[in-house]
Amino acid sequence: MLLTITTTHRPATDLGYLLYKNPARVHTRSLAFGRAHVFYAEATEERCTAALLLDVDPVGLVRRGPGERSLHDYVNDRPYVASSFLSVAIADAFGTALAGTSRERPELVDKPIPLSAHLPALPSRGGEGLIRRLFEPLGYVVFATRHPLDPAFPAWGDSRYHSVTLEATRPLRELLANLYVLIPVLDDEKHYWVGEAEIEKLLRRGDGWLAVHPERELIVQRYLVRQRPLTREALARLADDDPDPELTETVHDAEEAAVEERLNLNEQRLGAVLSVLRASGAKRVLDLGCGEGRLVRALLDDPSFERIVGLDVSHRALSVAAERLHLDRMPERRRARVELIHGSLTYRDERLSGFEAAAVVEVVEHLETERLPAFERVLFEHAAPGVVVLTTPNAEYNVRFETLPAGRHRHADHRFEWTRGEFRAWAAGVAERHGYHVRFLPVGQEDPELGPPTQMAVFER
Ligand code: SAH
């Protein structure tokens, strides 16, 4: 069983410092179930490939294990495929890197570097589709080829083993954590007893990505080998966790409302967004960053919208929305048209495909500027609805809000507020990169010098 990790970061040999393994030597470690070797297939300035070769000793395992033995215990796929044995070996051989420490290159620990991981035999219960569903939302480019059961007998069909390469620019420790968790999930098996302690491991390794992963339920269930109480506990703890410090739970609250109250801007905004969505003729609509569900409710009240999905990163906002909409006692026909889902706009999400229109109302300014390119791709490249209606504050107008001190944002959680020029430049770039046409509309009472309080862009493909 083999895992190789390649980087083209310069100098690529820094990989040795990050992994804590000198490229000049072969490193061998004894594990309970065999031996793990780390060596380098290449180590130059331009490219460096570290290999983790795991030698599982099935006979030793059987001898040590209790109970009756069958032929299957001696002859099986375990020595040859990526499984929970590999996760244990990763944690053992690359523990320092996984924990995010490096004595020699501390500045590289959190730095995204170009990485490629290759697994020649990755079993997947759920096929190539599941491999993609697990890794693509995390931003990996996935190359997968399925191995036939026997190349000499094509009629036998395919096996559940895949040769897989994952490519991404990200910190090495994130790649290791993703592999550590997701390999046994794909294999859908564990070689050891799974108890409470496994929850801690999962939450630690899943820190920062698992809570917002669209397949988190499947991941948690399989990782905890479908033990219901463990799964329930882990999912509950994930839900309480803030998935990402950037994404603090921000229900669009009193603070911002107070500042904007005079204008009743909320309603004007809602009306403006609704009228663009109606005019678009869309039947299936996304409300991204739906907050407490004001727009979702307005959309539900208009029968021309047949399917409405509200997404938000905040569990709190979603539960307020569910309550305000009375989801639990909604008539069946109405209930069937609406869904509230948890997710982050900075991760690619299959659930966002197939919609004719999307609204993103007062959300972009809550994203870190470094995450805007990810958001842009998630929405305009992958989800790619025909129409996108996006609103954001007009920073120039802020001087008109009497209660707002100069230089302050309208809401503490806003990461930025754009002038008209900044917003237009960003939106024009997005449109240009993804084949959309964009126009701008004012929302609220327009000031002759400063423009409208809210700015709105309508993108059409
Ligand atoms: N659209 C709503 C809410 C706007 S407040 C309205 O107009 O009333 C901004 C919302 O964006 C919050 O509910 C916040 O939880 C959500 N949000 C912030 N970052 C997000 C992200 N990365 N993915 C999805 N939603 C996010």
Side-chain angles (χ1 to χ4, degrees), residues 84 184 187-192 194 198 222-225:
S84 56
D187 182 35
D188 205 11
E189 212 177 298
K190 283 247 166 106
H191 70 272
Y192 52 87
V194 170
E198 204 69 355
R222 285 194 178 189
Y223 192 87
L224 299 170
V225 296

Side-chain angles (χ1 to χ4, degrees), residues 239-288:
D240 284 345
D241 270 2
D242 232 352
D244 189 324
E246 161 206 335
L247 312 169
T248 44
E249 308 242 316
T250 48
V251 177
H252 216 215
D253 57 11
E255 192 188 336
E256 186 169 356
V259 176
E260 294 182 339
E261 189 178 44
R262 258 178 337 121
L263 304 160
N264 198 3
L265 197 51
N266 271 324
E267 264 170 61
Q268 294 184 38
R269 193 155 47 217
L270 194 70
V273 171
L274 261 177
S275 65
V276 173
L277 290 174
R278 284 200 183 107
S280 77
K283 294 185 169 29
R284 286 163 296 163
V285 184
L286 289 166
D287 183 11
L288 303 173

Side-chain angles (χ1 to χ4, degrees), residues 246-252 256 266 269 287-295 311-314 317 343-346 360-363 365-367 413:
E246 161 206 335
L247 312 169
T248 44
E249 308 242 316
T250 48
V251 177
H252 216 215
E256 186 169 356
N266 271 324
R269 193 155 47 217
D287 183 11
L288 303 173
C290 63
E292 304 177 11
R294 254 173 303 205
L295 177 61
L311 169 136
D312 205 285
V313 77
S314 158
S344 170
L345 287 170
T346 50
V360 194
V361 180
E362 307 292 288
V363 175
E365 66 276 10
H366 291 264
L367 306 176
D413 191 57

